[in-house]
Amino acid sequence: TLDKARFKMLVSLVDILHLNNSEDIRCKCICPPYKDIAGLIYNQNVSLKDCNCLHVVEPMPVEGKDVEAYCLRCECKYEERSSGTIKGTIIAYLSILGLLLLYMVYLTLLEPILKRRLFGHSQLIQSDDDVGDQQPFANAHDVLSRSRSRSNMLNKVEHAQQRWKRQVQEQRKSVFDRHVVLS
Amino acid sequence: MDNTGYCGESFNSLQSGTSDEDMVEITGATLDFSSTDDVPPLDRDYGSGGSYGVGNGPNGVPKLMDLLDEPVPGVGTYEDFNTIDWVREKSKDRDRHREIATKSKESTLALMKSISDAFSGWLLMLLVGLMAGALAGGIDISAHWMTDLKEGVCLNGFWFNHEHCCWNSNETTFQERDKCPNWKSWAELIVGTNDGPFAYIMNYLMYVCWALLFSFLAVSLVRAFAPYACGSGIPEIKTILSGFIIRGYLGKWTLMIKTITLVLAVSSGLSLGKEGPLVHVACCCGNILCHLFTKYRRNEAKRREVLSAAAAVGVSVAFGAPIGGVLFSLEEVSYYFPLKTLWRSFFAALVAAFTLRSINPFGNSRLVLFYVEFHSPWHLLELIPFILLGIFGGIWGAFFIRANIAWCRRRKTTRLGHYPVLEVLVVTAVTALLAFPNSYTRMSTSELISELFNDCGLLDSSQLCNYANVSVTKISSDALPDRPAGPDVYTAMWQLSLALVFKMLITVVTFGMKVPSGLFIPSMAVGAIAGRLLGVGMEQLAYYHHDWVIFRGWCSPGADCITPGLYAMVGAAACLGGVTRMTVSLVVIMFELTGGLEYIVPLMAATMTSKWVADALGREGIYEAHIRLNGYPFLESKEEFSHKTLAMDVMRPRRSDPPLSVITQDGMSVEEVESLIAETSYSGFPVVVSHESQRLVGFVQRRDLVISIENARKRQEGVVSASRIFFTEYTPPQPPNSPPPLKLRGIMDLSPFTVTDHTAMDIVVDIFRKLGLRQCLVTHNGRLLGIITKKDILKHMAQMANRDPDSILFN
């Protein structure tokens, strides 16, 4: 069938690319109930050319002439996976998630405490309100000032972080508080 | 889109070549310079660069303006929550392209540059496809794992989900395909056994706890880092593609948070899908990668071409359906879709689908999401139940849209919207508590749909396939005859009915919450359950009453006439079509999803019926309804404007309003212009010859004016509040001791669109739609009378449809 042809092409391509783990291939044969034998599933890691009923179904539950009839009802499929990809993806995902959670905890809990300790109480009350478009020329200032170069690397990071925080705050206001976008 | 800004084009063509044809073009243009006395004659200055463009003309003709030579940064950009000017962006791109093309004949380096410019589009598509495919593969793998994490954990590698844990095991049996010793459910780990009421309660408790944890993490991350990452994203992307700007909506943080929280939201068991958010993710990838190429970074119109292609990529990776993705982008999402975008979208969608398949997230090498393996024919009489399914889909679609919009409106206006985190937690708790007992709602929705699409053969042992085994003379497992249902099938039927009611109600509340949520999969699940119920009913009816008139001709006993899996497919398509009002793209997606090419006619019949019924009950699809709820300035291109109003009924200022705020071309000082800008909030001002004559010179954007004045104050010497601003080509000599003038002709649009006051509104609306205008000036007997903006048109259309015109919020 068309699917088998496509599948074979994909398999051969993946073969060329990588096939590291022999445990990552299997041939799965599903045999339905036959006469008085219950349905059974067989799993073996053999290659594609050996993936048929005679190689995989062991021990054969029927004898002699019945073997052919039994095997005709069975369906054998060759399957492949990449456990390395799965492992890598899950670990990468969990680490990114963990980092984001730590950063969130830091931003919400630790940073105000640290800032208060370092700079004293007076600076804590920053003008977190929108600097936004109350004057029409404030935005122009913003646009023009982006073209000037920064002096210090740390200043740059600090400035970028402040701008990002302000952006997130604006977004939060639009979405969560005023419900103007994405309601 | 035709470029009727002939002014710019004709000036530039005069500069680039001096052929006779160009001269003819100038004199043939209706821009008439010969009759006025305050505009210099034609052969004076061509170096003003056409309509826009600060900088030298293509042949290096020196500019006679006194602004600094490099373009002021920020001129030509747009404010947040504003509409872009399509005409300006497209003519900018044409100028850029023309410049590269003419320069390419000069040197080899310039030729290489022009070739690389032409290829940059294709390279960008390739990168978008790769990035989106990789992200989608990662999302799929992580979502499968986390969904199974609610039930248990794998002992030989915690990163395996249930299916992969038991992949190599020899302990799986025919009846219980999922059992293996390596996979331990939480009850087994905590209590020690998997049987008994205590273990059941423990499983239940762990399921609910994990679901709550996942959804809490999702909503806190969205709230803390990227509030734009919530919801589906498709209504906003539709609006962005029609020319609206939402800064940050397609940014890096939104991409990262949307990817991470999408996995969490899907795994928490909520009744949502990941297709809509995947479109958003793909568009973010497209937007981020646009910054690598100058051609796309600077031009908003070209960027939207890339975003159209990226939307196609999104659907392509969500379903494994590249053609369906392109058609979805064409039909649902994009506003302008030139043929060039069609080919590029297809390329990008194919690259993404190929990347996804090589990552192989479905694990068992399935090439499509819900592959159906049956090819049994269907009979013409079955069209009647298919049409019934279509009617059901249409009714459900209309009901869902009304209920969901009412719920979202309540969330927007009442106190319900003040507690987003609590709302998510409550909905998750209710969903998890009600979903666990029923095995059909406990499994993930995609698995449910696959099981419903599957036709029962000899090799299936699930509850739904528990048919009484009639003695089989045929050996092939494809064409099993219709059999009487066993007791398990009846159990499955009422469980599925409960699942249907549950899903119908809970999806109304879930879609639109502050986590990434899509609604393709839940709608398909509702339709698939309804279809399967009808299919099994028809099958049993045909088996027990095969001597009835309707079955006699084609359904003899022992024949395989009714395929319940096909009914499930048709039901899924009908419900999805009823909600989103997709037509061609839905049919193509369905047959790409399932591989069932024989079933196009039933799918089409059901989809058409569902669309007609749903359109009769409610005019808009779910995405248009959300656009209207949010008040985005989206000018619907599918509706006809059928009222007999004229331009002067819609234009501003109305009779009771103060007169139009204009700027004169040579009379105002910097201070006067600044005060005009500060007092009003218009986004642009027409420039006229004088207040008395009101003859139109051009149009200038507020943002450009602000930036240029600010820049001039800083950089140019001598420009103070008393300096005069000139929009003319030739500034008259200034009296001595007066401050130097400020010349701003370069930021003015010399070819604003005008209509007369007696133009019919349907022509005006057509112009706005086809050209992508933001505003249009209205003249009377050649004199400027007023202005029509897109917002005015939307308000007018709302008024005509008896809706609240104040619901249009943005510009």
Side-chain angles (χ1 to χ4, degrees), chain B residues 509-642:
Chain B
V509 181
T510 313
F511 185 64
M513 278 201 310
K514 301 295 180 225
V515 285
S517 60
L519 57 50
F520 277 37
I521 293 278
S523 315
M524 286 174 70
V526 167
I529 297 178
R532 186 81 187 209
L533 288 173
L534 183 65
V536 170
M538 285 280 296
E539 186 188 36
Q540 297 305 300
L541 202 66
Y543 179 79
Y544 285 117
H545 299 278
H546 52 84
D547 48 350
W548 279 6
V549 170
I550 43 175
F551 293 122
R552 199 183 303 152
W554 53 288
C555 206
S556 47
D560 176 27
C561 25
I562 310 259
T563 323
L566 173 62
Y567 284 70
M569 265 170 62
V570 170
C575 278
L576 189 54
V579 170
T580 57
R581 313 289 162 88
M582 302 194 316
T583 51
V584 182
S585 37
L586 178 61
V587 174
V588 174
I589 287 178
M590 282 308 291
F591 85 71
E592 271 188 302
L593 259 186
T594 56
L597 226 69
E598 300 89 357
Y599 304 125
I600 289 191
V601 175
L603 286 173
M604 269 180 56
T607 312
M608 284 199 316
T609 319
S610 136
K611 181 164 161 70
W612 284 334
V613 169
D615 274 345
L617 293 175
R619 291 262 25 219
E620 318 167 301
I622 184 80
Y623 300 127
E624 286 91 21
H626 271 274
I627 286 180
R628 202 157 49 75
L629 176 70
N630 282 315
Y632 297 140
F634 183 74
L635 192 54
E636 180 64 60
S637 51
K638 294 176 192 165
E639 284 177 7
E640 297 271 335
F641 186 85
S642 55

Side-chain angles (χ1 to χ4, degrees), chain B residues 357-642:
Chain B
R357 287 171 196 190
S358 69
I359 294 181
N360 196 11
F362 301 133
N364 52 1
S365 356
R366 289 267 178 86
L367 297 188
V368 293
L369 190 52
F370 307 125
Y371 190 68
V372 300
E373 291 170 346
F374 52 90
H375 298 281
S376 358
W378 54 276
H379 190 265
L380 215 55
L381 275 176
E382 284 183 288
L383 274 179
I384 300 176
F386 292 151
I387 290 182
L388 278 178
L389 281 174
I391 295 177
F392 169 76
I395 294 178
W396 185 75
F399 155 74
F400 176 78
I401 294 175
R402 286 235 184 112
N404 186 251
I405 293 292
W407 184 258
C408 288
R409 185 165 293 138
R410 183 171 302 184
R411 191 188 293 136
K412 200 171 152 158
T413 47
T414 64
R415 287 169 51 105
L416 177 63
H418 292 273
Y419 307 104
V421 180
L422 194 60
E423 179 192 0
V424 170
L425 287 177
V426 166
V427 172
T428 312
V430 169
T431 311
L433 283 173
L434 292 179
F436 188 84
N438 188 344
S439 69
Y440 288 110
T441 44
R442 191 193 314 165
M443 63 171 90
S444 81
T445 324
S446 311
E447 273 180 47
L448 173 65
I449 296 182
S450 324
E451 190 167 327
L452 290 173
F453 281 5
N454 179 37
D455 196 27
C456 289
L458 280 174
L459 302 173
D460 297 298
S461 64
S462 61
Q463 191 186 32
L464 200 54
C465 287
N466 177 257
Y467 286 92
N469 277 326
V470 183
S471 67
V472 180
T473 46
K474 302 193 192 110
I475 296 184
S476 71
S477 54
D478 271 356
L480 273 187
D482 291 347
R483 300 163 289 169
D488 277 355
V489 178
Y490 290 112
T491 322
M493 290 294 111
W494 66 257
Q495 278 182 346
L496 279 176
S497 318
L498 288 178
L500 178 67
V501 173
F502 171 68
K503 277 228 174 284
M504 290 203 320
L505 295 176
I506 204 78
T507 314
V508 170
V509 181
T510 313
F511 185 64
M513 278 201 310
K514 301 295 180 225
V515 285
S517 60
L519 57 50
F520 277 37
I521 293 278
S523 315
M524 286 174 70
V526 167
I529 297 178
R532 186 81 187 209
L533 288 173
L534 183 65
V536 170
M538 285 280 296
E539 186 188 36
Q540 297 305 300
L541 202 66
Y543 179 79
Y544 285 117
H545 299 278
H546 52 84
D547 48 350
W548 279 6
V549 170
I550 43 175
F551 293 122
R552 199 183 303 152
W554 53 288
C555 206
S556 47
D560 176 27
C561 25
I562 310 259
T563 323
L566 173 62
Y567 284 70
M569 265 170 62
V570 170
C575 278
L576 189 54
V579 170
T580 57
R581 313 289 162 88
M582 302 194 316
T583 51
V584 182
S585 37
L586 178 61
V587 174
V588 174
I589 287 178
M590 282 308 291
F591 85 71
E592 271 188 302
L593 259 186
T594 56
L597 226 69
E598 300 89 357
Y599 304 125
I600 289 191
V601 175
L603 286 173
M604 269 180 56
T607 312
M608 284 199 316
T609 319
S610 136
K611 181 164 161 70
W612 284 334
V613 169
D615 274 345
L617 293 175
R619 291 262 25 219
E620 318 167 301
I622 184 80
Y623 300 127
E624 286 91 21
H626 271 274
I627 286 180
R628 202 157 49 75
L629 176 70
N630 282 315
Y632 297 140
F634 183 74
L635 192 54
E636 180 64 60
S637 51
K638 294 176 192 165
E639 284 177 7
E640 297 271 335
F641 186 85
S642 55

Side-chain angles (χ1 to χ4, degrees), chain A residues 23-38:
Chain A
E23 284 205 347
D24 277 347
I25 58 174
R26 74 171 177 184
C27 184
K28 181 172 173 179
C29 285
I30 308 181
C31 295
Y34 177 68
K35 290 187 185 170
D36 48 353
I37 306 169

